[in-house]
Amino acid sequence: MTAQAAPAAKEANEYIAGGEPAQNRAVVQLEFTQNGGLARPAPSRSKSSQPESHQMISAPPLRLKPFDAADVPFFTSMATDPRVTKYVGDGRTWDQATIAEKTNNALRDAPLNELGVARWFTAHRDDQPVGVFVSTRRESAVEIGYWVPPERWGQGIAGAMIDAGLEIIPRLFNTNILIAHVDPNNAASARVLTRRGFHTTVRENGLDRYIWQVGPFAGR
Ligand SMILES: CC(C)(COP(=O)(O)OP(=O)(O)OC[C@H]1O[C@@H](n2cnc3c(N)ncnc32)[C@H](O)[C@@H]1OP(=O)(O)O)[C@@H](O)C(=O)NCCC(=O)NCCS
């Protein structure tokens, strides 16, 4: 695919995912640059200037930042945990070489129109990493993935990261289509996608391919 360069965008942004989130569900405050690289802190806002939906949230919001070398140990803790990798790839934990290959690809600042180029983001809560959202350019779409440590499952973190991804990724990669590959036994992953309008299409190599696209679903 010959992807076009992403349009210029604000260097830093802040985004609260999910419009009207329910109490105790995760929301995301997002800091990113158009190339997924250097992030600057979002401007602080006084409480009175915050949207009403934000003030309703009792759990601290998530902050999504571009994946950084300092996040590699956190990612490694998940990639080496069999509970996390159970439905990822061949189901086995990742060895150090695989972790290095994938994280190095995520950290290299390659052009966004290059096939296989990745941009990863780490979600933080109270300055602690609580999840990683990954995106990779494929032939005709951008593939997403999401990792949350088991002690944080069920808190809406994956959902909030995906909500943010649906805002960022189309603009970042200049694409209309996001895909995800999900093991049919990974009920939480399937649920978090279908709740956000992803449609399952075909099963390839034992994985269900989910598609989301900007605008009406065309049934690809
Ligand atoms: C899949 C994963 C990312 C979900 O993260 P999470 O932060 O717990 O997800 P959320 O809390 O945002 O949402 C999970 C949804 O699945 C539901 N769910 C959880 N376990 C479920 C199960 N066994 N069956 C059906 N639904 C389930 C939750 O109720 C929630 O739905 P809701 O929003 O309607 O209440 C997490 O389990 C994980 O990191 N797994 C390991 C890595 C992985 O499999 N990544 C995806 C690869 S495709």
Side-chain angles (χ1 to χ4, degrees):
M1 159 178 188
T2 312
Q4 293 169 358
K10 285 185 285 185
E11 280 201 359
N13 207 339
E14 181 181 56
Y15 174 67
I16 301 173
E20 295 180 24
Q23 214 153 3
N24 293 321
R25 299 295 283 173
V27 294
V28 168
Q29 290 182 325
L30 180 65
E31 297 172 46
F32 70 103
T33 58
Q34 186 61 22
N35 66 1
L38 302 170
R40 292 205 304 249
S44 60
R45 294 191 291 183
S46 69
K47 200 169 183 186
S48 61
S49 69
Q50 290 173 342
E52 204 169 315
S53 60
H54 189 194
Q55 292 175 24
M56 287 167 54
I57 304 302
S58 58
L62 302 184
R63 189 168 287 263
L64 206 64
K65 300 177 184 177
F67 187 78
D68 184 84
D71 299 324
V72 171
F74 170 63
F75 180 76
T76 300
S77 72
M78 293 191 287
T80 54
D81 184 332
R83 296 170 296 176
V84 177
T85 59
K86 183 175 179 185
Y87 298 125
V88 177
D90 63 7
R92 290 187 298 180
T93 54
W94 290 14
D95 58 28
Q96 292 301 324
T98 304
I99 292 168
E101 179 196 328
K102 301 284 189 185
T103 55
N104 286 341
N105 187 43
L107 290 168
R108 100 193 147 95
D109 202 16
L112 284 158
N113 58 1
E114 194 179 282
L115 273 185
V117 68
R119 289 293 190 270
W120 291 14
F121 301 86
T122 304
H124 296 259
R125 173 176 281 158
D126 293 334
D127 290 328
Q128 295 296 314
V130 296
V132 171
F133 179 83
V134 309
S135 59
T136 310
R137 183 176 287 286
R138 302 297 183 206
E139 192 88 20
S140 55
V142 172
E143 181 171 2
I144 64 164
Y146 27 89
W147 304 60
V148 176
E151 63 274 16
R152 307 267 187 185
W153 288 355
Q155 298 177 16
I157 292 170
M161 292 196 299
I162 296 167
D163 286 339
L166 297 181
E167 292 287 328
I168 311 164
I169 302 304
R171 284 186 281 152
L172 187 62
F173 285 89
N174 196 20
T175 183
N176 285 338
I177 303 175
L178 271 53
I179 60 171
H181 290 107
V182 180
D183 185 307
N185 295 312
N186 195 349
S189 183
R191 167 97 180 154
V192 83
L193 289 176
T194 52
R195 285 251 287 160
R196 284 159 182 84
F198 279 77
H199 298 256
T200 182
T201 53
V202 291
R203 185 165 292 180
E204 298 168 328
N205 304 321
L207 297 178
D208 288 332
R209 178 186 172 100
Y210 284 79
I211 288 187
W212 178 93
Q213 65 184 62
V214 177
F217 179 61
R220 288 169 195 247

